[in-house]
Amino acid sequence: MTPAFYHVLHIVSLIVLTGGIFYGFAGSPDTRKKVLLITGIASIVQLVSGVGLLHKLGYGFPAWAIVKLVCWLALSALAGIGYRQRGRAGLFMLIVVAIVAVAVSAVYYRAF
Ligand code: HEM
């Protein structure tokens, strides 16, 4: 598989994962199972494509990728939070945006 293929998988799965988390804040309770299934698959695809990119691009496992891995863990753990924490939707949406912002900054700045 080419790096471009992994890139496309990586970004599309990120959009699906983040979109699914946000959907959870408004979706009716009977959609929970399907949303958890979709975000679960997206989360795995994002990790596999990220590791694939590290390998294909010969990066080894730099510190910025470790930051991204922690962000991926946090984001994946938040899948479904919308169904459990409706009352604090604003706070958790902010947390999701902050996690994505840290991960995207890590890959663009590579400050460490
Ligand atoms: C919340 C988690 C994550 C977000 C928001 C995220 C976001 C992104 C974005 C936007 C890019 C495109 C950068 C570009 O091509 O200019 C990217 C590339 C990449 N990501 Fe992630 N990612 C996440 C998790 C991960 C994980 C867990 C890994 C590895 C274990 C990873 C490894 C990579 C690699 C190696 C690239 C390619 C960098 C390059 O083209 O030089 N990412 N990521």
Side-chain angles (χ1 to χ4, degrees):
M1 300 293 178
T2 62
F5 175 78
Y6 284 117
H7 254 129
V8 171
L9 274 188
H10 197 61
I11 305 300
V12 171
S13 59
L14 170 65
I15 294 168
V16 172
L17 177 57
T18 312
I21 295 171
F22 277 92
Y23 182 90
F25 289 104
S28 58
D30 62 329
T31 63
R32 184 172 176 276
K33 238 188 180 162
K34 198 186 276 178
V35 170
L36 286 181
L37 179 69
I38 293 168
T39 51
I41 294 168
S43 166
I44 293 168
V45 173
Q46 203 195 358
L47 180 66
V48 170
S49 59
V51 172
L53 280 166
L54 286 174
H55 174 67
K56 286 280 172 189
L57 300 170
Y59 285 135
F61 218 97
W64 57 265
I66 296 173
V67 170
K68 296 184 80 183
L69 195 62
V70 173
C71 291
W72 170 82
L73 270 172
L75 206 60
S76 305
L78 285 173
I81 192 78
Y83 293 96
R84 300 194 301 270
Q85 294 284 344
R86 276 288 151 92
R88 295 196 287 173
L91 169 66
F92 281 102
M93 286 198 233
L94 212 61
I95 291 172
V96 170
V97 172
I99 292 169
V100 172
V102 169
V104 173
S105 304
V107 74
Y108 281 112
Y109 287 105
R110 299 178 200 188
F112 31 75

